[in-house]
Amino acid sequence: MITLPIYNTEGKEVGTIELNSAVFDGTVNKDAIYQAIVEYRANQRKGLASTKTRGEVSGGGRKPWRQKGTGRARVGSTRSPLWRHGGVVFGPHPRDFSYNLPQKIKSLALKSILNARIEEGKFIVLDELKLENAKTKEAEKIFFNLKIDSKKMKPRSVLFLSDKLSDKLRLALRNIEFLSLSFAKDTNAYEVTSSQKIIITKDGLSELTNRLINKKSLDC
């Protein structure tokens, strides 16, 4: 059973938590992670690229010249794909790239990337996150106490997962460049994979664990 320390907003260890071995068993399935990421990115594609065939391009109704006797190649329309301003052969048309993975693979992918982040030491459990004032400076102090160097972090490379987010907390956190916010019950494998560090509240970790054990809907 994996045991992790719990930190407060001052960066001090205030206790420990034993992770549920049904979820956090150290198993990392790279194939499942790969499939979940490919599916997520495919579902983000708009598929709006569009070209016109010779039948859709305007004009070209009259035959440019007679069939024989001119010495030139025979042609029936100025909108032939061989001509400038003509139609496109086998060009792209609007399509839907989305598809759904089996629920078990999504669940396995999320479990795997969480286990990988714990193994790498990039998983921090926070007791709770409360602010007296909706000030970004106050919020930044908390991450400084947790030894997160904002200068080394890429934009949106720290993922903060919580069970709830008050309006005051959102106002304080939204201007921190390296931070992205999400609910623990809604996170997915792509979101966790694209983050260098994961910070999760104790209650958020409980919700996430219950979600994976109960195999609820996983939008990876």
Side-chain angles (χ1 to χ4, degrees):
M1 185 173 290
I2 301 173
T3 302
L4 293 178
I6 301 175
Y7 298 95
N8 61 13
T9 53
E10 296 178 358
K12 297 179 181 179
E13 188 175 332
V14 293
T16 58
I17 185 170
E18 291 184 349
L19 303 182
N20 193 312
S21 58
V23 177
F24 302 99
D25 56 358
T27 302
V28 178
N29 190 308
K30 294 182 179 180
D31 290 337
I33 296 172
Y34 173 79
Q35 290 183 59
I37 291 173
V38 171
E39 184 230 24
Y40 181 90
R41 297 183 69 178
N43 292 345
Q44 300 305 304
R45 295 184 68 177
K46 299 296 183 182
L48 300 179
S50 180
T51 55
K52 292 183 178 181
T53 64
R54 64 183 295 166
E56 295 169 328
V57 179
S58 63
R62 184 176 65 86
K63 188 175 175 65
W65 50 77
R66 66 180 190 268
Q67 183 80 348
K68 295 179 177 293
T70 64
R72 289 177 289 186
R74 55 191 177 187
V75 62
S77 172
T78 58
R79 294 300 177 257
S80 164
L82 303 177
W83 281 48
R84 184 169 177 264
H85 300 307
V88 177
V89 181
F90 304 128
H93 296 284
R95 55 174 290 195
D96 182 14
F97 289 93
S98 64
Y99 66 96
N100 289 318
L101 277 176
Q103 197 65 43
K104 287 184 178 180
I105 296 180
K106 290 185 179 184
S107 179
L108 179 59
L110 184 53
K111 288 178 184 178
S112 296
I113 191 59
L114 289 172
N115 280 308
R117 287 291 179 260
I118 291 172
E119 188 179 330
E120 295 163 357
K122 298 178 179 179
F123 193 90
I124 300 172
V125 182
L126 194 65
D127 185 21
E128 60 178 348
L129 185 57
K130 287 185 178 180
L131 297 174
E132 294 182 4
N133 302 307
K135 298 291 184 181
T136 301
K137 282 187 177 181
E138 288 188 21
E140 286 180 331
K141 287 180 182 178
I142 295 172
F143 297 106
F144 178 78
N145 294 336
L146 294 172
K147 298 180 181 180
I148 294 177
D149 190 348
S150 60
K151 294 180 180 179
K152 293 183 179 180
M153 290 295 168
K154 298 178 182 178
R156 304 301 173 193
S157 60
V158 176
L159 177 63
F160 176 68
L161 300 174
S162 179
D163 58 316
K164 57 184 178 181
L165 288 171
S166 63
D167 293 337
K168 184 185 293 186
L169 197 58
R170 284 182 183 276
L171 287 172
L173 298 177
R174 68 180 181 178
N175 290 327
I176 300 177
E177 186 181 16
F178 63 82
L179 189 69
S180 58
L181 308 176
S182 184
F183 289 108
K185 63 182 180 180
D186 297 329
T187 192
N188 56 66
Y190 181 85
E191 198 172 46
V192 178
T193 305
S194 58
S195 302
Q196 289 178 283
K197 282 185 179 290
I198 311 299
I199 300 174
I200 187 168
T201 61
K202 186 172 65 174
D203 292 336
L205 179 58
S206 178
E207 282 192 359
L208 179 58
T209 303
N210 291 333
R211 169 192 168 195
L212 289 169
I213 291 174
N214 298 331
K215 297 180 180 178
K216 293 180 181 179
S217 177
L218 295 171
D219 297 325
C220 295

